[in-house]
């Protein structure tokens, strides 16, 4: 039997997974996202098809090192982050930092029961790039909107707050509040 590494987002899941799977599996956790757009730069090439620039998160250096080292001991790596677009993107980012030639498969499960977990690992798939791209689109929109609106918000809201920021949801909510306030003033 081959030795398989199972990588999950949450370290809390590992204890349960150990009970579900046999001795041929070992486990690591990414503890959420390991890469993102740079914190102090725009990170999106507006002129180049909106290509994002991702960087390893500074507080995840040790996690990344552990994932890379563990993958070298495995015959196959199962990326088992959450089964949503964020989880898919996390798996995609983990795959990007693993050594070249690592055999990688994606397995997602909706529940942490022995039968569900075993079925997911017996029927792995590739990373779903449609879900990854959906997450990237959301993240890039957050960055684009935030970079344009946050400086305006910081200048306008002067109640001692520094670094006031806006994303796509906050921006729409703010617009609704302003529109309503204008209606009240006009009344």
């Amino acid at each position: 039997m081959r030795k398989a590494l199972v990588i999950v987002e949450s370290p809390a899941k590992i204890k349960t997974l150990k009970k579900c799977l046999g001795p041929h599996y070992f486990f690591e956790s990414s503890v959420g996202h390991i890469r993102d757009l740079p914190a102090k730069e725009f990170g999106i090439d507006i002129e180049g098809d909106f290509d994002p620039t991702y960087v390893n998160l500074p507080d995840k250096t040790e996690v990344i090192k552990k994932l890379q080292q563990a993958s070298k001991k495995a015959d196959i790596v199962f990326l088992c982050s959450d089964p949503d677009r964020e989880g898919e993107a996390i798996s995609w980012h983990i795959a990007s930092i693993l050594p070249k030639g690592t055999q990688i498969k994606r397995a997602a499960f909706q529940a942490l029961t022995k039968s569900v977990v075993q079925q997911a690992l017996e029927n792995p798939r590739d990373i779903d790039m449609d879900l990854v791209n959906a997450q990237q689109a959301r993240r890039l929109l957050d960055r684009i909107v935030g970079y344009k609106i946050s400086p305006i918000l910081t200048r306008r809201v002067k109640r001692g707050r520094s670094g006031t920021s806006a994303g796509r949801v906050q921006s729409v909510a703010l617009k609704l509040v302003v529109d309503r306030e204008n209606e009240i003033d006009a009344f």
Side-chain angles (χ1 to χ4, degrees):
M1 180 80 174
R2 302 184 310 172
K3 192 80 168 157
L5 170 62
V6 174
I7 300 175
V8 294
E9 284 181 55
S10 169
K13 292 180 181 177
I14 292 175
K15 186 176 179 182
T16 304
L17 287 170
K18 283 181 178 178
K19 294 175 185 174
C20 295
L21 301 170
H24 299 291
Y25 294 90
F26 63 110
F27 308 89
E28 289 294 340
S29 169
S30 70
V31 196
H33 285 275
I34 60 164
R35 302 183 76 208
D36 196 7
L37 298 171
K40 297 185 187 281
E41 297 173 35
F42 191 54
I44 303 168
D45 183 1
I46 301 291
E47 305 299 319
D49 280 343
F50 292 87
D51 288 334
T53 299
Y54 290 108
V55 296
N56 294 347
L57 294 171
D59 62 332
K60 294 297 179 86
T61 303
E62 289 303 313
V63 170
I64 290 170
K65 197 180 298 185
K66 278 176 71 173
L67 296 176
Q68 291 169 332
Q69 290 171 346
S71 70
K72 291 176 185 175
K73 300 173 189 168
D75 297 311
I76 187 169
V77 175
F78 289 103
L79 301 175
C80 299
S81 51
D82 293 349
D84 56 11
R85 67 181 180 209
E86 290 295 323
E88 206 71 22
I90 289 170
S91 284
W92 181 66
H93 284 295
I94 292 170
S96 75
I97 60 96
L98 296 181
K100 298 286 182 224
T102 302
Q103 186 179 355
I104 298 167
K105 284 293 180 185
R106 176 81 166 104
F109 27 84
Q110 300 287 342
L112 281 176
T113 63
K114 186 172 185 168
S115 62
V116 170
V117 169
Q118 287 177 336
Q119 174 141 4
L121 294 177
E122 289 167 7
N123 300 290
R125 59 177 174 80
D126 293 327
I127 293 171
D128 183 340
M129 287 309 296
D130 288 339
L131 281 175
V132 172
N133 289 332
Q135 187 276 343
Q136 285 191 101
R138 184 208 51 81
R139 183 67 185 98
L140 297 183
L141 282 171
D142 277 352
R143 176 60 58 98
I144 292 166
V145 170
Y147 256 69
K148 298 292 183 193
I149 294 177
S150 293
I152 296 166
L153 203 57
T154 299
R155 285 193 303 270
R156 300 281 185 189
V157 179
K158 296 185 180 186
R159 296 189 181 123
R161 292 183 179 182
S162 63
T164 304
S165 67
R168 57 196 161 80
V169 173
Q170 296 93 331
S171 300
V172 173
L174 181 61
K175 181 182 182 338
L176 292 171
V177 169
V178 169
D179 288 351
R180 184 68 179 136
E181 188 66 27
N182 289 339
E183 288 174 15
I184 291 167
D185 287 346
F187 180 74

